[in-house]
Amino acid sequence: MDKKELIQLKNEAENHLVNELLPFWTSRMIDKENGGYLTHFDEKGNDTGEDEKSLIAQARCLYTLSSAHRAGYGNGNLADMARHGVDFLLDRMWDGENGGFFWMLDRKGNVKIDQKIIYGHSFAVYSLSEYTLATGDKRGVEYAEKVFDLIQKYCVDSMYGGYWEMFHRDWTLCGSGSQGGDRKTLDVHMHLMEAFTTLYECTGMDVHRRKLLEVIDLLLNRIIHPEYKTGIPQFFKDWSVAPQIKFDIIWGWDRFSEEGQKGNATDNTCYGHNAEFAWLLNHALEILGADVNNYKELFRIIYNHTIENGVDYEFGGVFVEGPHSGGVYDREKEFWQQAEVLIGLLDAVILLEDEKYGEAYKNVHRFVFEKVVNKGVGEWYPLLTRRGEPIWTHMGHSWKINYHTVRAMVQSVNRMERIISGL
């Protein structure tokens, strides 16, 4: 990658982070009246008044503030805002009777959905560990360890391995089908890897290291496709591939059919997830002190599949998903796939030293800054057509929050600085 051009790209990303993205959130996310964070904003950045505070959004906001503070942004103000979020999580969202965090509260902090959803708890571990690493406040890691212990106690499948994901308030497993009690997913296990990485970085405890290694082994040998190394979304308990269905408690605004099952229910892989898995795995290996060179061929296969099938060389950006063997099913552009592929492709440049990954990075970077960023507002449109016209226009929602966008800029700037220093 040309040094001058790369410096321009880095400066563009850093300016966006410092002068647009972070100010968008820090100027409007703090709920001074009820505690915690406000997370629902329309296209112009106005509070929609939505009466909910979800575990996933509160935890992700905490991660965003903590990680940006840890990376040196915000002049110390972000640490205070992170502490505000921790107070709400521990005082209002924690279930003092059964342990763990409730899935959904209203704006004032009353419980709306009391289920224990492991997707949300993975982000609780991730964000609370990051918070302690960023600020030194031991409350974060104390509760991260509590959640880790609850996951090991109630969620482990001791017969087939891995983790169950959907529970009632008292940690009894939910029913089958759309209740999710008979499914295991790439999403949860990938985010547990992400969470256990940061927890182990924070504690250095052997049990956290062992469980991180265990979930990496599951991802590599059960969850990614044995030939194409692409992520398989859903499984039954014995790791046989399950049709990808929509759960009653969803993690995002999933664009399923009304029947709740995708048309290509057993042969679809998400390009954003694949790139995200690769860079998160690389980060986990670095924290573990493992030899990343042993995994270079795996990374090469994943990133080649991403740039050959997921990157749109006609209109720019990253498609949503396609079949494992290659091709595209969904040609729309979703914000978070762009974010994760930006980080992943810079990892590929560093690890694999091939300029084709740099060219693909520039493609996605340009699409993000020309089409995805809501100019004058500062956040990203959540969903666009292939050509880049907005389909969904909200700037914030429980499932569309600052975690992907801010993290993409923090991590991309960091990687571009590393590349520039080596040129």
Side-chain angles (χ1 to χ4, degrees), residues 351-362:
L351 281 169
L352 304 174
E353 299 179 333
D354 191 321
E355 71 175 87
K356 67 183 181 182
Y357 304 115
E359 290 303 311
Y361 170 83
K362 287 186 280 187

Side-chain angles (χ1 to χ4, degrees), residues 5-25:
E5 183 181 19
L6 194 55
I7 290 171
Q8 291 175 338
L9 294 171
K10 184 203 72 116
N11 290 341
E12 186 174 27
E14 196 159 34
N15 176 68
H16 175 51
L17 173 64
V18 172
N19 296 314
E20 296 175 335
L21 263 183
L22 284 172
F24 175 90
W25 291 100

Side-chain angles (χ1 to χ4, degrees), residues 385-419:
T385 67
R386 182 183 180 187
R387 292 174 179 265
E389 297 101 358
I391 299 171
W392 293 346
T393 60
H394 57 277
M395 294 293 99
H397 184 271
S398 280
W399 327 124
K400 193 275 177 184
I401 205 68
N402 40 46
Y403 150 80
H404 286 291
T405 55
V406 172
R407 186 174 71 168
M409 294 300 99
V410 171
Q411 296 293 331
S412 294
V413 168
N414 173 273
R415 283 158 176 75
M416 283 189 275
E417 286 176 344
R418 288 170 60 188
I419 297 168

Side-chain angles (χ1 to χ4, degrees), residues 27 29 31 65 124 153 177 186 191 227 229 233 240 252 263 317 322 326-328 380 392-393 408:
S27 66
M29 69 190 295
D31 186 342
L65 295 166
K153 180 178 181 180
L186 161 68
H191 289 303
E227 179 180 356
K229 307 305 180 186
S240 57
V328 186
W380 299 15
W392 293 346
T393 60

